[in-house]
């Protein structure tokens, strides 16, 4: 009971989409068969595209995910660096700024801000003042 080494080849050729025997039989079936084969060829070409390029699509998805992670990491780093730079150059701490904003928000409206700015411009026309002088003018 020895088996023939090429016994399964004919079976594979039967299921192959490139089997010349299968293409020839569809040509000989006539017009009706060719219309049916066109419909099946269109569906096969669509499904074959996905199956033929499955590895490429998986690789593209993985590369996109990795690039998104790298981009997110770089954006976080840039945001942290910007925050550190602002904190180092600001005269007061950002938390103090937020506390002042929330403490003065009901009373400190746009009209009052314009009034304070006009007073500061008139008092310090050069645009420079010490903190103590500025605080005295603003508190009036």
């Amino acid at each position: 009971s020895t088996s023939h080494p090429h016994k399964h080849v004919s079976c594979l050729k039967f299921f192959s989409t490139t089997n010349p025997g299968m293409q020839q039989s569809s040509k000989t079936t006539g017009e009706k068969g060719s219309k049916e084969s066109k419909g099946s060829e269109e569906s096969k070409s669509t499904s074959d595209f996905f199956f033929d390029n499955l590895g490429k699509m998986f690789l593209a998805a993985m590369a996109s995910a990795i690039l998104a992670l790298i981009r997110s990491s770089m954006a976080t780093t840039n945001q942290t660096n910007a925050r550190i730079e602002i904190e180092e150059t600001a005269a007061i701490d950002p938390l103090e700024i937020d506390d002042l904003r929330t403490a003065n928000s009901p009373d400190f409206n746009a009209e009052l801000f314009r009034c304070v700015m006009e007073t500061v411009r008139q008092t310090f026309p050069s645009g420079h003042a010490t903190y103590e002088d500025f605080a005295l003018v603003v508190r009036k």
Side-chain angles (χ1 to χ4, degrees):
S1 94
T2 61
S3 64
H4 192 272
H6 300 290
K7 177 175 135 180
H8 300 290
V9 173
S10 63
C11 181
L12 291 176
K13 282 185 182 179
F14 179 73
F15 290 111
S16 172
T17 58
T18 59
N19 184 0
M22 292 295 288
Q23 291 172 356
Q24 189 177 27
S25 66
S26 66
K27 288 179 185 175
T28 59
T29 56
E31 259 184 60
K32 190 175 184 181
S34 65
K35 286 181 184 178
E36 290 174 4
S37 66
K38 283 182 185 177
S40 65
E41 283 179 18
E42 287 176 11
S43 66
K44 278 186 182 180
S45 66
T46 305
S47 65
D48 287 347
F49 174 77
F50 291 113
F51 288 125
D52 291 344
N53 297 308
L54 192 60
K56 293 175 187 173
M57 289 188 289
F58 178 74
L59 183 63
M62 292 301 292
S64 297
I66 290 169
L67 288 175
L69 289 172
I70 291 171
R71 182 174 180 236
S72 174
S73 173
M74 291 174 65
T76 302
T77 303
N78 290 341
Q79 182 181 11
T80 303
N81 291 339
R83 181 179 295 140
I84 290 170
E85 183 180 340
I86 289 170
E87 288 175 356
E88 289 175 352
T89 59
I92 60 176
D93 189 62
L95 293 175
E96 290 176 318
I97 293 171
D98 192 43
D99 289 343
L100 288 170
R101 183 186 58 78
T102 55
N104 294 319
S105 63
D107 302 325
F108 195 69
N109 55 22
E111 183 62 37
L112 183 58
F113 176 75
R114 283 190 212 101
C115 180
V116 169
M117 287 305 300
E118 187 60 36
T119 305
V120 169
R121 283 189 192 127
Q122 289 173 0
T123 307
F124 308 109
S126 66
H128 298 322
T130 63
Y131 178 75
E132 292 82 20
D133 293 339
F134 179 79
L136 286 172
V137 170
V138 170
R139 289 183 184 169
K140 287 184 185 179

